[in-house]
Coordinates of all heavy atoms in Angstrom, one line a residue:
K1 N -20.2 -18.2 2.1 CA -21.6 -18.0 1.7 C -21.9 -16.5 1.5 O -22.9 -16.1 0.9 CB -22.6 -18.6 2.7 CG -22.3 -20.1 3.0 CD -22.4 -20.9 1.8 CE -22.1 -22.4 2.1 NZ -22.1 -23.2 0.9
A2 N -21.2 -15.6 2.2 CA -21.5 -14.2 2.2 C -21.1 -13.5 0.9 O -20.3 -14.0 0.1 CB -20.8 -13.5 3.3
E3 N -21.8 -12.4 0.6 CA -21.4 -11.5 -0.5 C -20.1 -10.7 -0.1 O -20.0 -10.3 1.0 CB -22.5 -10.5 -0.8 CG -23.8 -11.2 -1.3 CD -24.8 -10.2 -1.6 OE1 -24.5 -9.0 -1.8 OE2 -26.0 -10.6 -1.8
K4 N -19.2 -10.6 -1.1 CA -17.9 -9.9 -0.8 C -17.5 -9.0 -1.9 O -17.9 -9.3 -3.1 CB -16.8 -11.0 -0.5 CG -17.1 -11.9 0.7 CD -16.2 -13.1 0.7 CE -16.5 -14.1 -0.4 NZ -17.7 -14.8 -0.2
L5 N -16.8 -8.0 -1.6 CA -16.4 -7.0 -2.6 C -14.9 -7.2 -2.8 O -14.1 -7.2 -1.8 CB -16.7 -5.6 -2.2 CG -16.1 -4.4 -3.1 CD1 -16.8 -4.5 -4.4 CD2 -16.3 -3.1 -2.4
T6 N -14.4 -7.4 -4.0 CA -12.9 -7.5 -4.2 C -12.3 -6.1 -4.2 O -12.9 -5.1 -4.8 CB -12.6 -8.1 -5.6 OG1 -13.2 -9.5 -5.6 CG2 -11.1 -8.2 -5.8
L7 N -11.2 -5.9 -3.5 CA -10.7 -4.5 -3.3 C -9.6 -4.1 -4.2 O -9.5 -2.9 -4.5 CB -10.2 -4.4 -1.8 CG -11.3 -4.7 -0.7 CD1 -10.7 -4.6 0.7 CD2 -12.5 -3.7 -0.9
A8 N -8.7 -4.9 -4.5 CA -7.5 -4.5 -5.2 C -7.4 -5.2 -6.6 O -7.7 -6.4 -6.8 CB -6.2 -4.8 -4.4
D9 N -7.1 -4.4 -7.6 CA -6.9 -4.9 -9.0 C -5.5 -5.4 -9.2 O -5.3 -6.3 -10.0 CB -7.2 -3.8 -10.0 CG -8.6 -3.3 -9.9 OD1 -9.5 -4.1 -9.7 OD2 -8.9 -2.1 -10.1
Y10 N -4.6 -4.9 -8.5 CA -3.2 -5.2 -8.7 C -2.5 -5.6 -7.4 O -2.6 -4.9 -6.4 CB -2.4 -4.1 -9.4 CG -0.9 -4.3 -9.4 CD1 -0.3 -5.0 -10.4 CD2 -0.1 -3.7 -8.5 CE1 1.0 -5.2 -10.5 CE2 1.3 -3.9 -8.5 CZ 1.8 -4.6 -9.5 OH 3.2 -4.8 -9.6
V11 N -1.8 -6.7 -7.4 CA -1.1 -7.1 -6.2 C 0.3 -7.5 -6.6 O 0.5 -8.4 -7.4 CB -1.8 -8.3 -5.5 CG1 -1.0 -8.7 -4.3 CG2 -3.2 -8.0 -5.1
S12 N 1.3 -6.8 -6.1 CA 2.7 -7.1 -6.5 C 3.1 -8.4 -5.8 O 2.8 -8.7 -4.7 CB 3.6 -6.0 -5.9 OG 5.0 -6.3 -6.2
S13 N 3.8 -9.2 -6.6 CA 4.2 -10.5 -6.1 C 5.5 -10.4 -5.3 O 6.0 -11.4 -4.7 CB 4.4 -11.5 -7.3 OG 5.4 -11.0 -8.2
K14 N 6.1 -9.2 -5.3 CA 7.4 -9.0 -4.6 C 7.1 -8.6 -3.2 O 6.3 -7.8 -2.9 CB 8.1 -7.9 -5.3 CG 9.5 -7.6 -4.8 CD 10.2 -6.5 -5.5 CE 11.6 -6.2 -4.9 NZ 12.3 -5.1 -5.5
V15 N 7.8 -9.3 -2.3 CA 7.8 -9.0 -0.9 C 8.7 -7.7 -0.6 O 9.8 -7.7 -1.1 CB 8.3 -10.1 0.0 CG1 8.3 -9.8 1.4 CG2 7.4 -11.4 -0.3
L16 N 8.1 -6.8 0.1 CA 8.8 -5.5 0.4 C 10.0 -5.8 1.3 O 9.8 -6.5 2.3 CB 7.9 -4.5 1.0 CG 6.8 -3.9 0.1 CD1 5.9 -3.0 1.0 CD2 7.4 -3.0 -1.0
T17 N 11.1 -5.2 1.0 CA 12.2 -5.2 2.0 C 11.9 -4.2 3.0 O 11.0 -3.3 2.9 CB 13.6 -4.9 1.3 OG1 13.5 -3.5 0.8 CG2 13.8 -5.8 0.1
S18 N 12.7 -4.2 4.1 CA 12.5 -3.2 5.1 C 12.7 -1.8 4.6 O 11.9 -0.8 4.9 CB 13.4 -3.4 6.3 OG 13.3 -2.5 7.3
I19 N 13.7 -1.5 3.8 CA 14.0 -0.2 3.2 C 12.9 0.2 2.3 O 12.4 1.4 2.3 CB 15.3 -0.2 2.5 CG1 16.5 -0.4 3.5 CG2 15.5 1.1 1.7 CD1 17.8 -0.4 2.9
E20 N 12.4 -0.7 1.4 CA 11.3 -0.4 0.5 C 10.0 0.0 1.3 O 9.3 0.9 0.9 CB 11.1 -1.6 -0.4 CG 12.1 -1.8 -1.4 CD 12.0 -3.1 -2.2 OE1 11.3 -4.0 -1.7 OE2 12.5 -3.1 -3.3
G21 N 9.8 -0.8 2.3 CA 8.6 -0.6 3.1 C 8.6 0.8 3.8 O 7.7 1.5 3.9
Q22 N 9.8 1.1 4.3 CA 10.0 2.4 5.0 C 9.8 3.6 4.0 O 9.2 4.6 4.4 CB 11.3 2.5 5.7 CG 11.4 1.6 6.9 CD 12.8 1.4 7.4 OE1 13.8 2.0 6.9 NE2 13.0 0.5 8.4
R23 N 10.3 3.4 2.8 CA 10.1 4.4 1.8 C 8.7 4.6 1.4 O 8.2 5.8 1.4 CB 10.9 4.0 0.5 CG 12.4 4.3 0.6 CD 13.2 3.7 -0.6 NE 14.6 4.1 -0.5 CZ 15.5 3.6 -1.3 NH1 15.1 2.7 -2.3 NH2 16.8 4.0 -1.2
L24 N 8.0 3.5 1.2 CA 6.6 3.7 0.8 C 5.8 4.2 2.0 O 4.9 5.0 1.8 CB 6.0 2.3 0.4 CG 6.2 1.9 -1.0 CD1 5.7 0.5 -1.2 CD2 5.7 2.9 -2.0
Q25 N 6.1 3.8 3.2 CA 5.4 4.3 4.4 C 5.6 5.8 4.5 O 4.6 6.5 4.8 CB 6.0 3.6 5.7 CG 5.6 4.3 7.0 CD 4.1 4.3 7.2 OE1 3.4 3.4 6.7 NE2 3.5 5.4 7.8
S26 N 6.8 6.3 4.4 CA 7.0 7.8 4.5 C 6.2 8.5 3.4 O 5.7 9.6 3.7 CB 8.5 8.1 4.4 OG 9.0 7.7 3.2
V27 N 6.2 8.0 2.2 CA 5.4 8.6 1.2 C 3.9 8.6 1.4 O 3.2 9.6 1.3 CB 5.8 8.0 -0.2 CG1 4.9 8.5 -1.3 CG2 7.2 8.2 -0.6
F28 N 3.4 7.4 1.8 CA 2.0 7.3 2.1 C 1.6 8.2 3.3 O 0.6 8.9 3.2 CB 1.6 5.9 2.5 CG 1.5 5.0 1.3 CD1 1.6 3.6 1.4 CD2 1.4 5.5 0.0 CE1 1.5 2.7 0.3 CE2 1.3 4.6 -1.1 CZ 1.3 3.3 -1.0
D29 N 2.4 8.2 4.3 CA 2.1 9.1 5.5 C 2.1 10.5 5.1 O 1.2 11.3 5.5 CB 3.1 8.8 6.6 CG 2.7 9.4 7.9 OD1 1.6 9.1 8.3 OD2 3.4 10.2 8.5
Y30 N 3.1 11.0 4.3 CA 3.1 12.4 3.8 C 1.9 12.7 3.0 O 1.3 13.8 3.1 CB 4.4 12.6 3.0 CG 4.5 14.0 2.4 CD1 5.0 15.0 3.2 CD2 4.1 14.3 1.1 CE1 5.1 16.3 2.7 CE2 4.3 15.5 0.6 CZ 4.7 16.6 1.4 OH 4.8 17.8 0.9
A31 N 1.5 11.8 2.1 CA 0.4 12.0 1.2 C -0.9 12.1 2.0 O -1.8 13.0 1.8 CB 0.2 10.9 0.2
V32 N -1.1 11.2 3.0 CA -2.3 11.2 3.8 C -2.4 12.5 4.6 O -3.5 13.0 4.9 CB -2.4 9.9 4.7 CG1 -3.5 10.0 5.7 CG2 -2.6 8.7 3.8
T33 N -1.3 13.0 5.1 CA -1.3 14.2 5.9 C -1.4 15.5 5.1 O -2.0 16.4 5.6 CB 0.0 14.2 6.8 OG1 0.1 13.0 7.5 CG2 0.0 15.4 7.7
N34 N -0.9 15.5 3.9 CA -0.8 16.7 3.1 C -1.6 16.7 1.8 O -1.3 17.6 1.0 CB 0.7 17.0 2.8 CG 1.5 17.2 4.1 OD1 1.5 18.3 4.7 ND2 2.3 16.2 4.5
F35 N -2.5 15.8 1.6 CA -3.2 15.7 0.3 C -4.0 17.0 0.0 O -4.2 17.3 -1.2 CB -4.1 14.5 0.3 CG -5.2 14.6 1.3 CD1 -6.4 15.2 0.9 CD2 -5.2 14.0 2.5 CE1 -7.5 15.3 1.8 CE2 -6.2 14.1 3.4 CZ -7.4 14.7 3.1

């Protein structure tokens, strides 16, 4: 019943592997710390 805001325009259908997740995590963490 509540009003809601849709957040993401794109959602990958691919499940991340552990290596892919670690790669993205390191990149996101670097970007958030050094932007």
Side-chain angles (χ1 to χ4, degrees):
K1 306 300 180 184
E3 296 179 16
K4 298 168 288 291
L5 175 67
T6 300
L7 300 179
D9 296 323
Y10 170 82
V11 180
S12 174
S13 59
K14 184 180 178 182
V15 177
L16 290 173
T17 66
S18 181
I19 292 176
E20 289 172 336
Q22 289 168 5
R23 284 175 173 169
L24 279 178
Q25 167 59 36
S26 63
V27 170
F28 284 162
D29 193 54
Y30 179 81
V32 169
T33 304
N34 297 282
F35 66 85

